[in-house]
Amino acid sequence: MRIFVVLTIAADALYLFGGGVITFGAMLIIIRFIQFKLKDPFQPSSSTRYLSGYLTLSLNFFIGAEIIRTVATRTISDFELLILVIFSRGLFSLILYLERRWHGTAETE
């Protein structure tokens, strides 16, 4: 019973940390975007490329939390949810990778 409580707390902590990464990254990107646009409104700021890095990092924390939660509960519905999350993460990572590759270094806003 104690291991279930520890695993649940660990999963919740990973969820919170992943959400914190998104929030922190979004705040940094907003500040960076405003600074670039105040300096030169016509120069691209590449803010979406930096935001995609924070999103990818937070998705890794969310997957870790889902894996821990699945280990703790061991039901088929949780396993199906884990498969869906991993598939979604792979799809999002592919989209973010293609976006970075498509825009390269010169990104338009």
Side-chain angles (χ1 to χ4, degrees), residues 4-36:
F4 177 75
V5 173
V6 171
L7 289 176
T8 303
I9 291 172
D12 290 340
L14 283 175
Y15 278 126
L16 287 173
F17 194 72
V21 167
I22 291 175
T23 305
F24 178 74
M27 289 188 321
L28 284 178
I29 298 305
I30 289 171
I31 292 169
R32 179 188 164 111
F33 179 78
I34 291 171
Q35 288 175 345
F36 269 95

Side-chain angles (χ1 to χ4, degrees), residues 24-89:
F24 178 74
M27 289 188 321
L28 284 178
I29 298 305
I30 289 171
I31 292 169
R32 179 188 164 111
F33 179 78
I34 291 171
Q35 288 175 345
F36 269 95
K37 292 303 175 181
L38 287 177
K39 190 186 303 183
D40 185 9
F42 300 108
Q43 182 177 350
S45 66
S46 303
S47 59
T48 56
R49 185 176 44 181
Y50 291 112
L51 184 60
S52 66
Y54 288 108
L55 291 174
T56 304
L57 178 62
S58 66
L59 283 171
N60 288 330
F61 285 113
F62 292 152
I63 286 179
E66 281 297 321
I67 290 171
I68 291 173
R69 191 162 299 236
T70 301
V71 168
T73 57
R74 294 185 183 170
T75 63
I76 192 68
S77 63
D78 287 336
F79 182 71
E80 291 169 350
L81 180 64
L82 175 65
I83 295 300
L84 181 65
V85 167
I86 290 174
F87 177 75
S88 299
R89 191 258 186 239

Side-chain angles (χ1 to χ4, degrees), residues 52 56 91-102:
S52 66
T56 304
L91 184 64
F92 291 146
S93 292
L94 177 66
I95 291 169
L96 292 172
Y97 170 76
L98 291 175
E99 179 188 1
R100 284 188 214 156
R101 188 166 180 185
W102 181 269

